[in-house]
Amino acid sequence: MSVHRDSQLDMFAKASPVIAKVRAPSRGRPSQSGTHSDEDMARTLEESGNYRILRKLIARPIAPVRRPEFSRLGVILDTETTGLSHRSDEIIEIGAVAFTFDDDGAIGDVVGIYGGLQQPSRPIPPEITRLTGITDAMVEGQVIDLRSLSALIEPADLIIAHNAGFDRPFCEAFSTMFAGKAWACSVSEIDWSARGFEGTKLGYLVGQAGYFHEGHRAVDDCHALLEILDREQRQGESPFAELYRASQRSRIRIFAEHSPFEMKDHLKARGYRWSDGSDGRLKSWWIEVGEDDLGDELSYLRSEIYRWKEAEPPTVRLTAFDRFKS
């Protein structure tokens, strides 16, 4: 979730009206003026209608006791890497925040945190240092503690990443502890636009939720995502509850194998992606749809692409255990 993200500063570059950053509420303590607390002043600015206030996002501490009503375990995970390819690039940092939740998707408490750096086999590219702030000097001699990380990952019912299609292949190439785990993607499996958000990048979500945080370090981003996922919604369902429901549904990957070459632009316009076969998939255009949309998609292929009603494009049913793999 690192190199494919724009700078978190971009979201503030052309903000209007003025955005003021304040620290977390001071719980009624007066400021140095002795008359108003920080929160009082922030509220006054907000109520004027001329300012938007971003409050510093404070990470949740580890709960001393695990409450039995939250019986499930989730792990929010983030990686920083030397590049975009899980086949040739390497993880240089992993952050993980473990939290409890119940069967309805209500989040309980943070029960574990891990953050670790790893020295790669080659120097970190300058553009990666610019994006992440991680230097060769920082990772020199550093090794991710697999035992500590495994203590969070092994018992997890669900691993959440903000772009799981990026993080999961890197993690599975890094360690077998990630094999066979259920994954969810907080980018693609939550309808953020329906919740009033203008984008899906973590910086946008954090800013529009009224916070700011120290971005681009793995653990900090995990803490930030947890707060956004647990954000109360007027419709009564948190983003995490929506994500958890989505993770329990199967999706169908349809391969438009042997589709006519001249129909490629039509497939692309409909959202199909090209697979050249190098990753073990069929060499063809493909798309993923929900189970409820399978019939309509097959009808489209038969009538508009193959123009043969008996056509049977190959399909693969995917669950959270195999979605977002390479």
Side-chain angles (χ1 to χ4, degrees), residues 94-98 112-117 143-146 148-149 152 219 222:
I94 286 182
V97 172
I113 299 170
Y114 176 77
L117 294 166
V143 178
I144 289 171
D145 185 341
L146 294 180
S148 297
L149 182 59
L152 301 184
V219 170
C222 291

Side-chain angles (χ1 to χ4, degrees), residues 14-75:
K14 298 181 180 179
S16 178
V18 175
I19 297 176
K21 292 184 179 181
V22 300
R23 297 187 66 82
S26 57
R27 300 176 187 245
R29 292 178 298 179
S31 64
Q32 291 182 351
S33 66
T35 57
H36 300 288
S37 69
D38 290 345
E39 186 61 22
D40 288 337
M41 292 186 289
R43 190 176 300 110
T44 298
L45 289 172
E46 288 177 320
E47 292 174 351
S48 74
N50 295 320
Y51 300 90
R52 288 173 53 211
I53 304 299
L54 301 183
R55 290 165 173 79
K56 186 174 183 180
L57 194 150
I58 305 299
R60 302 183 187 192
I62 296 176
V65 178
R66 181 168 172 171
R67 292 181 283 174
E69 62 266 35
F70 297 101
S71 59
R72 297 195 176 276
L73 182 69
V75 174

Side-chain angles (χ1 to χ4, degrees), residues 274-324:
W274 174 251
S275 171
D276 62 7
S278 61
D279 57 1
R281 299 174 185 169
L282 293 174
K283 185 177 181 180
S284 70
W285 291 92
W286 63 272
I287 195 172
E288 277 187 24
V289 299
E291 289 184 292
D292 294 341
D293 298 320
L294 175 60
D296 289 342
E297 199 62 34
L298 291 177
S299 295
Y300 162 76
L301 290 174
R302 289 164 182 157
S303 62
E304 302 295 329
I305 302 300
Y306 296 107
R307 298 178 182 174
W308 178 39
K309 64 180 181 179
E310 281 79 29
E312 288 293 340
T315 60
V316 177
R317 186 176 299 274
L318 303 172
T319 69
F321 290 94
D322 40 36
R323 276 201 294 274
F324 313 113

Side-chain angles (χ1 to χ4, degrees), residues 75-263:
V75 174
I76 295 176
L77 184 140
D78 183 32
T79 63
E80 304 294 350
T81 67
T82 59
L84 296 174
S85 173
H86 69 279
R87 293 185 175 88
S88 57
D89 294 306
E90 302 170 71
I91 289 176
I92 53 177
E93 184 179 31
I94 286 182
V97 172
F99 64 96
T100 56
F101 65 96
D102 66 18
D103 289 336
D104 295 322
I107 290 177
D109 305 294
V110 170
V111 294
I113 299 170
Y114 176 77
L117 294 166
Q118 174 107 355
Q119 182 176 0
S121 59
R122 299 185 299 274
I124 299 173
E127 62 271 21
I128 300 301
T129 294
R130 178 178 59 81
L131 284 170
T132 66
I134 299 175
T135 66
D136 288 321
M138 292 169 60
V139 299
E140 185 176 0
Q142 296 294 314
V143 178
I144 289 171
D145 185 341
L146 294 180
R147 179 176 296 180
S148 297
L149 182 59
S150 179
L152 301 184
I153 300 300
E154 291 293 345
D157 296 292
L158 188 66
I159 299 174
I160 302 100
H162 203 62
N163 193 355
F166 179 86
D167 291 287
R168 181 169 189 170
F170 268 100
C171 288
E172 292 189 339
F174 177 73
S175 172
T176 57
M177 77 173 73
F178 296 99
K181 304 303 296 185
W183 285 69
C185 178
S186 53
V187 172
S188 64
E189 295 186 289
I190 298 173
D191 189 348
W192 292 109
S193 62
R195 295 176 177 274
F197 289 91
E198 297 173 1
T200 60
K201 292 181 180 178
L202 186 59
Y204 288 119
L205 300 178
V206 170
Q208 283 195 254
Y211 298 104
F212 70 96
H213 81 300
E214 303 298 329
H216 284 311
R217 293 307 302 272
V219 170
D220 295 326
D221 283 350
C222 291
H223 282 297
L225 182 56
L226 177 62
E227 294 306 315
I228 303 305
L229 291 177
D230 199 26
R231 187 168 181 255
E232 293 183 2
Q233 299 288 302
R234 291 181 180 177
Q235 63 265 40
E237 181 181 64
S238 70
F240 178 71
E242 179 184 347
L243 178 64
Y244 183 48
R245 282 194 297 104
S247 73
Q248 294 174 297
R249 293 193 294 264
S250 296
R251 291 182 64 81
I252 311 299
R253 184 171 292 171
I254 307 171
F255 295 90
E257 190 178 26
H258 305 309
S259 57
F261 178 78
E262 62 270 19
M263 302 305 293

